[in-house]
Amino acid sequence: MGIVFFLVKFAVNAKVILMRTAIYPGSFDPLTNGHLDVIQRAAKLFDRVIVAVAQNDTKQPLFTLAERLALVRAAIKHLPHVEADSFDGLLIEYAERQKAQAVVRGLRAVSDFEFEFQLALMNRKLDENVEAIFMMPKDTYTFLSSRIVKEIARLGGDVSSFVPPHVQTALIKKLKPRKKF
């Protein structure tokens, strides 16, 4: 058996650039300004951020997967290096397919932390190379959740300060608010 040599030639000033990719997963039903805040701040930390809209058959979403994906894409179109995609199945497997180094999760309150901590530990058990990054939204969004936004919209309330304008329009079309007496 012979020895094989490979000659590899590199340019003197060549640099190897690793792209730092993060996944920001969620159902985004609907996308809120709190979500956008986390996306914008994650985009400052990573070279590529994928907003991964989960299929999640266990929830009964107001918007279809295609609608949620379209709402997210419209909201992030101005952000360079941020893209939207959908996934079904294990998040960690999706992260591996995307060659992501991190999963970003938003924490609004201490009550979010316990659940997110359990998920992060399980994901680490499945793949220790994907880190969990917890980010808090601006304090003005700590009370905000998609569930609360949907309930306000369902009851005919103004959600314009909680969601982007195109999401508000979609909510109004999707929900026929009760008439006020």
Side-chain angles (χ1 to χ4, degrees), residues 22-25 91-92 95 101-105 123 130-134:
I23 307 291
Y24 180 41
L91 170 62
I92 204 70
Q101 293 77 37
V103 171
V104 172
R105 298 296 293 168
N123 284 337
V130 178
E131 294 293 336
I133 306 294
F134 298 112

Side-chain angles (χ1 to χ4, degrees), residues 10 12 14 38 56 62 79 85 89 101 106 110 149 153 163 174-175:
F10 290 99
V12 175
V38 171
N56 201 346
L62 175 64
L79 297 171
D85 192 15
Q101 293 77 37
V110 174
V149 167
V163 296
K174 185 68 83 164
L175 300 169

Side-chain angles (χ1 to χ4, degrees), residues 32-139:
T32 68
N33 289 337
H35 293 131
L36 272 178
D37 178 58
V38 171
I39 293 165
Q40 290 167 343
R41 290 186 304 107
K44 293 177 186 175
L45 299 174
F46 295 93
D47 302 311
R48 179 177 173 225
V49 175
I50 303 170
V51 182
V53 182
Q55 172 65 47
N56 201 346
D57 293 329
T58 60
K59 290 185 178 181
Q60 297 295 324
L62 175 64
F63 293 99
T64 67
L65 179 61
E67 289 169 331
R68 289 181 280 141
L69 195 53
L71 291 171
V72 169
R73 284 185 174 141
I76 64 169
K77 66 184 175 192
H78 69 286
L79 297 171
H81 314 295
V82 178
E83 59 193 77
D85 192 15
S86 63
F87 78 101
D88 193 14
L90 285 175
L91 170 62
I92 204 70
E93 290 177 351
Y94 177 77
E96 290 167 352
R97 286 193 305 273
Q98 296 297 325
K99 299 185 182 358
Q101 293 77 37
V103 171
V104 172
R105 298 296 293 168
L107 293 178
R108 295 169 300 199
V110 174
S111 57
D112 287 344
F113 179 75
E114 187 174 346
F115 175 71
E116 295 295 342
F117 185 66
Q118 287 176 330
L119 286 179
L121 290 176
M122 183 54 67
N123 284 337
R124 181 183 290 165
K125 196 76 168 161
L126 295 172
D127 185 342
E128 62 186 25
N129 295 313
V130 178
E131 294 293 336
I133 306 294
F134 298 112
M135 298 183 80
M136 296 178 351
K138 289 181 186 174
D139 59 347

